[in-house]
Amino acid sequence: DTGVSQDPRHKITKRGQNVTFRCDPISEHNRLYWYRQTLGQGPEFLTYFQNEAQLEKSRLLSDRFSAERPKGSFSTLEIQRTEQGDSAMYLCASSLARSARGTPQETQYFGPGTRLLVL
Amino acid sequence: GENVEQHPSTLSVQEGDSAVIKCTYSDSASNYFPWYKQELGKRPQLIIDIRSNVGEKKDQRIAVTLNKTAKHFSLHITETQPEDSAVYFCAASTSSSASKIIFGSGTRLSIRP
């Protein structure tokens, strides 16, 4: 599978611990997105990068969450001092933006997700 | 901000019949409407999308219609097959929203043999 990959696929942690997830986008995709999905709901946007720049963050992204994309390729999402409410599927997606901002949306391709359970 | 409503939340149809899922959106500036299919335990996968400069798009058994005036769009699946069973999400995005896609809450489609 040469699509978006995520690691780990599953993570169980105790409340208060820090966790870090990794996303590897499709090669040469310049945009990378993080979403959170809870049971029975659609994915909720968290943040996105264009190359290494983090251009938008959702209000859902509390100060315990931080995301990086240091070299414009893979990205990490860290959650500090995890809470039970953080339990969810964390999805990464990538896309290739061929035009400047303000032009029609490009297709986002999703990874398999990291399922987080906070005990 | 944008809000996307999706109905129904569950849908059961006889194999071979058609299935229709409807969505409404709130932001009149939305101009891109993708549909994703998510099978149990798997990633969301794009099945079809439509942009605001067209009213209908078809790909084999799947079609999507868009009514910009009423701010609603629909997914139509004809001649349903068992492998169509999954959760379907509609979504909307604006070109000025920094590529943020807002998803509906999903429709669980079951195909009865």
Side-chain angles (χ1 to χ4, degrees):
Chain A
D1 188 351
T2 56
V4 179
S5 62
Q6 293 185 244
D7 183 71
R9 296 291 306 277
H10 304 271
K11 178 70 176 179
I12 300 175
T13 190
K14 292 183 179 179
R15 189 176 51 186
Q17 298 295 304
N18 299 341
V19 294
T20 300
F21 310 142
R22 176 179 170 128
C23 170
D24 286 88
I26 294 173
S27 179
E28 297 182 356
H29 275 192
N30 51 4
R31 287 185 176 169
L32 186 148
Y33 313 79
W34 285 99
Y35 291 85
R36 180 172 67 188
Q37 185 177 27
T38 53
L39 199 63
Q41 298 297 317
E44 296 175 295
F45 171 83
L46 293 178
T47 188
Y48 106 99
F49 294 83
Q50 171 123 352
N51 300 312
E52 65 276 5
Q54 188 174 16
L55 296 186
E56 186 169 348
K57 293 194 293 185
S58 164
R59 286 170 293 178
L60 294 174
L61 212 66
S62 76
D63 55 8
R64 296 185 297 106
F65 288 69
S66 61
E68 295 182 341
R69 195 183 184 199
K71 298 181 181 179
S73 56
F74 73 92
S75 175
T76 58
L77 177 69
E78 181 183 17
I79 308 174
Q80 296 182 326
R81 306 181 302 279
T82 52
E83 301 173 356
Q84 288 183 325
D86 297 332
S87 296
M89 174 76 84
Y90 289 84
L91 291 163
C92 174
S94 71
S95 68
L96 177 61
R98 299 181 186 276
S99 303
R101 180 172 172 168
T103 55
Q105 176 63 274
E106 68 286 350
T107 299
Q108 294 186 18
Y109 298 91
F110 281 84
T114 295
R115 185 170 295 282
L116 172 66
L117 177 61
V118 182
L119 301 176
Chain B
E2 175 68 281
N3 183 50
V4 177
E5 299 283 341
Q6 183 171 349
H7 301 280
S9 57
T10 59
L11 179 61
S12 178
V13 301
Q14 193 75 35
E15 182 178 351
D17 288 350
S18 296
V20 180
I21 301 171
K22 298 182 178 182
C23 291
T24 60
Y25 61 97
S26 60
D27 189 345
S28 57
S30 291
N31 58 3
Y32 174 66
F33 306 90
W35 286 85
Y36 284 84
K37 174 184 180 181
Q38 188 173 30
E39 298 178 37
L40 190 62
K42 296 191 177 181
R43 72 189 74 193
Q45 293 201 311
L46 181 76
I47 55 171
I48 194 168
D49 57 15
I50 191 168
R51 301 178 194 277
S52 60
N53 56 343
V54 297
E56 184 173 357
K57 183 177 179 180
K58 191 172 182 180
D59 182 4
Q60 299 182 356
R61 298 186 296 107
I62 294 174
V64 59
T65 59
L66 170 64
N67 183 328
K68 286 217 74 179
T69 302
K71 291 192 283 189
H72 65 69
F73 55 116
S74 302
L75 178 72
H76 303 250
I77 306 175
T78 59
E79 300 172 13
T80 52
Q81 301 169 4
E83 54 265 34
D84 294 331
S85 294
V87 179
Y88 291 80
F89 294 99
C90 62
S93 176
T94 72
S95 56
S96 62
S97 66
S99 301
K100 180 171 61 179
I101 290 181
I102 304 300
F103 285 83
S105 55
T107 296
R108 181 173 298 280
L109 175 63
S110 301
I111 307 301
R112 303 191 303 271

